[in-house]
Amino acid sequence: FLDNLNPEQREAVLHRDGPLLILAGAGSGKTRVICYRLAYLIGDGHADPDQVLAVTFTNKAAEEMRSRVETLLESEYPRLWMSTFHAFCARLLRREAPQIGLSRDFVIYDSVDQLHVVRQAMKDLDIDDKITSPRAVLSRISHAKNQMKSAADIRENSHSFGDEQLAKVYERYLNALRTSGALDFDDLLLKTVTLFETSPDARDKYAYRYRYVMVDEYQDTNHCQYLLVRALAAKHHNICVVGDDDQSICLLYTSDAADERSSVDLG
């Protein structure tokens, strides 16, 4: 199936070991490259299906990628870890949560649940939700979490009464989730990063397990997702990321060994 690729796509697919950054514009075949690279690594015997991890941002995209890989290999691969960041972290935490003081039976709050908690916190604090939108407050809490900032960080850098209110709602929001044994979507990422930072055994276990890590739509990753990917690739450096720098303010890519860096521009 490699004959279906143009020279640049083929170069990216056949790059096996070491970090790889692929800059690809719309319609240039970036998802095709990831699917073909997965199929090449597995089909040519370089990795078992459960030694490869591919993450993207929607369930639909993940399922489409899985279907394309299985079509190329003419076989189903249920052990292939191909999912969204959040699904990957949820699955991992179901196994490892006790290492960071969580129950494996944690509940995952969706946006409706989250808004309910924020509205109740605002009501308890006598904050008028007609003046301050609960959805806007939730968005700011999510942004703070993705930047790995606590309520104390917000309070310390407060520049307005609104920031102080946000910190109070944030604290109540976290307490409500903790009391209910629940995590929101941002927590799935945060808790996994916390696991890797506090448990070298867990970090090494998954870093050794996933010999090849691939990330689609890398320009959309936040700091927490970057830390997660960096931890998974720290041992082997077999990390391949695909991004469109025209769709991003900044496409982040780092490597501890600059001389091992490879870059392919698909146009």
Side-chain angles (χ1 to χ4, degrees):
F1 53 74
L2 295 177
D3 292 337
N4 298 324
L5 302 172
N6 65 36
E8 289 77 15
Q9 292 170 337
R10 186 183 179 93
E11 181 185 356
V13 167
L14 293 178
H15 176 93
R16 192 174 71 198
D17 296 323
L20 174 66
L21 168 66
I22 301 173
L23 300 177
S28 59
K30 55 185 179 179
T31 301
R32 164 185 269 206
V33 165
I34 285 188
C35 293
Y36 274 61
R37 189 166 187 267
L38 280 164
Y40 163 68
L41 290 170
I42 296 169
D44 213 39
H46 301 296
D48 293 332
D50 59 357
Q51 293 178 319
V52 180
L53 172 66
V55 287
T56 187
F57 282 86
T58 67
N59 291 322
K60 180 180 178 181
E63 287 306 312
E64 287 178 351
M65 288 170 63
R66 177 182 295 277
S67 177
R68 292 173 70 173
V69 171
E70 292 179 341
T71 297
L72 289 170
L73 293 173
E74 300 179 345
S75 180
E76 293 184 356
Y77 287 90
R79 292 187 298 134
L80 177 62
W81 280 52
M82 184 178 294
S83 67
T84 64
F85 274 101
H86 294 96
F88 167 73
C89 290
R91 186 175 176 183
L92 189 151
L93 288 173
R94 292 294 183 197
R95 301 179 178 187
E96 310 293 346
Q99 294 198 49
I100 50 174
L102 296 176
S103 168
R104 290 191 178 95
D105 300 323
F106 60 83
V107 177
I108 300 176
Y109 274 10
D110 61 17
S111 57
V112 175
D113 300 319
Q114 292 173 267
L115 275 173
H116 174 74
V117 175
V118 168
R119 286 195 178 98
Q120 185 61 51
M122 292 175 65
K123 181 179 179 181
D124 293 343
L125 293 167
D126 200 24
I127 300 173
D128 191 344
D129 62 6
K130 294 183 176 59
I131 298 176
T132 304
S133 165
R135 194 174 297 277
V137 172
L138 179 59
S139 178
R140 290 192 65 188
I141 290 174
S142 178
H143 180 72
K145 282 190 169 189
N146 287 328
Q147 297 298 315
M148 305 186 73
K149 293 181 179 178
S150 65
D153 293 328
I154 293 174
R155 183 173 286 111
E156 183 177 344
N157 296 286
S158 175
H159 299 292
S160 67
F161 179 65
D163 289 339
E164 180 60 32
Q165 287 185 320
L166 173 64
K168 291 180 179 179
V169 174
Y170 191 180
E171 288 171 338
R172 286 180 175 262
Y173 176 83
L174 293 179
N175 287 334
L177 265 63
R178 192 178 302 112
T179 300
S180 300
L183 303 179
D184 63 18
F185 290 118
D186 297 317
D187 285 331
L188 294 175
L189 302 175
L190 284 167
K191 298 301 183 182
T192 304
V193 170
T194 298
L195 171 69
F196 286 163
E197 289 180 342
T198 58
S199 173
D201 289 342
R203 181 181 65 243
D204 291 348
K205 172 183 176 181
Y206 290 96
Y208 282 118
R209 174 173 180 172
Y210 300 113
R211 294 179 50 218
Y212 294 93
V213 179
M214 279 168 271
V215 185
D216 196 15
E217 304 293 353
Y218 188 63
Q219 77 280 349
D220 293 333
T221 54
N222 58 39
H223 182 59
C224 199
Q225 290 161 338
Y226 161 74
L227 292 176
L228 177 63
V229 171
R230 187 178 71 174
L232 289 170
K235 297 296 181 181
H236 48 67
H237 301 292
N238 295 330
I239 171 74
C240 171
V241 299
V242 180
D244 183 353
D245 48 351
D246 288 335
Q247 297 181 31
S248 175
I249 295 174
C250 180
L251 179 65
L252 295 177
Y253 177 76
T254 63
S255 169
D256 292 334
D259 58 336
E260 294 181 350
R261 180 181 308 178
S262 295
S263 176
V264 177
D265 192 341
L266 301 185

